[in-house]
Amino acid sequence: MAKRGKSRGETAGDWLSDRAVRLLIGAALRLPYAQRLALVGWAMRRVVAPLAGYRARALANLAHVFPQMPLAERRRIATGVAENVGRTLIENYSGAEFTDRMAQLPLQGEGVAALEAARAAGQPVILVTGHFGNYEAGRAALVARGYDIGGLYRPMKNSYFNAHYVKTMESFGGPVFAQGRRGTAGFVRHLRAGGMLVLLFDQHVRKEPVLDFMGQPARTPTSSADLALRYGALLLPFYATRGEDGVSFTVELEAPVPHGAPEDMMQALNDGLAARVRARPEQWFWFHNRWKGAGDGPGKKVPRKSR
C-alpha cells in the first residue's frame, strides 16, 4: 500500500493527535457498548476538553448567554457538554452496534406524517438539525426505516482525522457531500431527484444574516431555507435527544417550517433549537464560536428580547 502523502497544511501535531484519537477509539471499541461510551465520555470530559481549550470556550459562551447563571452551574453544563461530545464520537464509530440500536427507536412528533407523505409524493426533503444530542442517531433511525438520506459536512481541519471520520458518516447509509463546489453540486443533484438530505444550521458562517439565537445576535446561514424554496422541498426540523441513561435516545420530527422569507424560516429554526438548548443545555455543542462576528457588518438585525 502506498504511503499517504502529506498534504498542504498538515502538521506533525495533526498526525500525533489523530494517532491518540485512533488509539482511544480502538481501545474503547474493545469494550462492551455502554462501557465504551462511558470511557470516551470520561476522556473527553476530564482530559481532551480541558487541554484543548474546549471547556474554557464553553464556559465563555455560557457566560455570554447566561450572565446571571452561577459559575457552578456553568461548570456543570460545560462538563455535561464534554461528556455528550465524547459519547457521540464513539457512538459514531460503533458501526452496526449503534445503527442496530437506533433502528429500534420510535419516531415521534408532528413531522413523521409529513415526512411519510413527502416520500410517497416524491417531494424533496431537507431535514434540518443542530449539534444537539447526537443527530446521527436520528439519521440512523430514519435510514433503518428505508429513508435514503444524504448529508453535507464541513471537512475538519485535521485531514488525518477527517479521512476516517467521513467513513463513519457514510456507514449510516445515504451519500455524504463535502462543502465546496463539487460537493454542493452532488448535494443539489440528489435533492432535485426527490432525495432527502440533512443540514446542520447552528454554526457561524461569515457574511450571513444576523438573527437571534438564545437572545443574542448570531450569524445564521440561510442555505437550508434557500434550497427548500428553490426546489420546493419540505423543511423539516428533527432532533435526537440523549436519555438520562446516557445511551438511549428520543427521536422527534417537528412540524415542517412554512415557506416564506428565508430569514424568517431560519429564525423559526433558531427558536426551535433554542427551546431545546434551554431545556437540556448540556446536550448542545457549546464548544462552537457560535456568536462571533455578529455585532457588526451588513445584514445586521436587532435581536429580539428573549422571553
Side-chain angles (χ1 to χ4, degrees):
M1 180 182 291
K3 290 185 178 180
R4 184 180 184 280
K6 186 175 180 180
S7 65
R8 186 177 182 180
E10 293 175 346
T11 67
D14 289 338
W15 185 87
L16 287 171
S17 61
D18 178 62
R19 293 298 105 177
V21 170
R22 285 175 184 258
L23 284 172
L24 175 61
I25 291 171
L29 289 176
R30 294 176 179 272
L31 297 173
Y33 188 82
Q35 291 181 25
R36 82 179 62 144
L37 266 61
L39 171 64
V40 182
W42 175 90
M44 182 64 69
R45 170 167 48 89
R46 297 296 299 271
V47 181
V48 179
L51 290 179
Y54 299 152
R55 180 177 172 83
R57 185 180 299 162
L59 289 169
N61 281 331
L62 285 161
H64 178 68
V65 174
F66 301 118
Q68 304 305 317
M69 179 181 287
L71 177 59
E73 179 64 4
R74 295 202 297 268
R75 286 173 172 167
R76 183 195 69 79
I77 293 171
T79 297
V81 172
E83 177 81 25
N84 182 65
V85 170
R87 286 174 177 265
T88 295
L89 174 67
I90 197 61
E91 284 166 343
N92 294 349
Y93 275 88
S94 292
E97 288 183 271
F98 178 57
T99 55
D100 288 350
R101 285 171 175 266
M102 299 308 104
Q104 308 304 314
L105 296 176
L107 302 179
Q108 304 178 24
E110 296 180 52
V112 176
L115 183 65
E116 292 175 350
R119 176 165 65 172
Q123 181 185 11
V125 177
I126 299 176
L127 290 146
V128 281
T129 190
H131 292 80
F132 182 87
N134 182 353
Y135 78 90
E136 291 289 15
R139 186 159 79 102
L142 290 167
V143 169
R145 287 163 173 78
Y147 290 99
D148 182 20
I149 302 173
L152 185 70
Y153 69 94
R154 179 184 293 182
M156 296 186 178
K157 292 180 180 179
N158 186 327
S159 60
Y160 294 107
F161 182 83
N162 187 73
H164 54 88
Y165 191 73
V166 170
K167 292 180 181 178
T168 72
M169 292 186 286
E170 294 172 335
S171 71
F172 297 124
V176 295
F177 307 96
Q179 284 184 352
R181 181 176 299 177
R182 186 174 179 180
T184 301
F187 186 91
V188 168
R189 282 196 299 270
H190 184 76
L191 190 64
R192 292 179 69 179
M196 298 184 179
L197 296 162
V198 170
L199 279 176
L200 281 79
F201 66 90
D202 61 340
Q203 286 182 288
H204 165 85
V205 178
R206 291 179 62 245
K207 299 183 180 180
E208 290 288 345
V210 176
L211 303 179
D212 176 280
F213 181 59
M214 302 292 293
Q216 299 293 332
R219 292 200 177 274
T220 303
T222 63
S223 52
S224 53
D226 294 335
L227 288 168
L229 293 170
R230 186 177 305 164
Y231 299 108
L234 199 70
L235 188 63
L236 192 67
F238 80 105
Y239 296 96
T241 304
R242 188 178 300 280
E244 295 294 340
D245 61 1
V247 176
S248 63
F249 288 91
T250 299
V251 178
E252 298 172 273
L253 282 69
E254 297 182 349
V257 175
H259 286 194
E263 292 185 15
D264 292 340
M265 295 168 71
M266 297 313 303
Q267 187 60 65
L269 291 174
N270 274 359
D271 292 345
L273 175 58
R276 291 180 180 273
V277 175
R278 290 182 186 280
R280 300 295 299 273
E282 72 284 354
Q283 295 209 26
W284 188 64
F285 200 79
W286 290 89
F287 295 167
H288 281 155
N289 279 320
R290 182 67 188 93
W291 293 274
K292 70 178 181 180
D296 54 13
K300 179 180 177 182
K301 282 191 170 184
V302 177
R304 297 165 303 150
K305 295 292 184 181
S306 59
R307 296 179 181 177

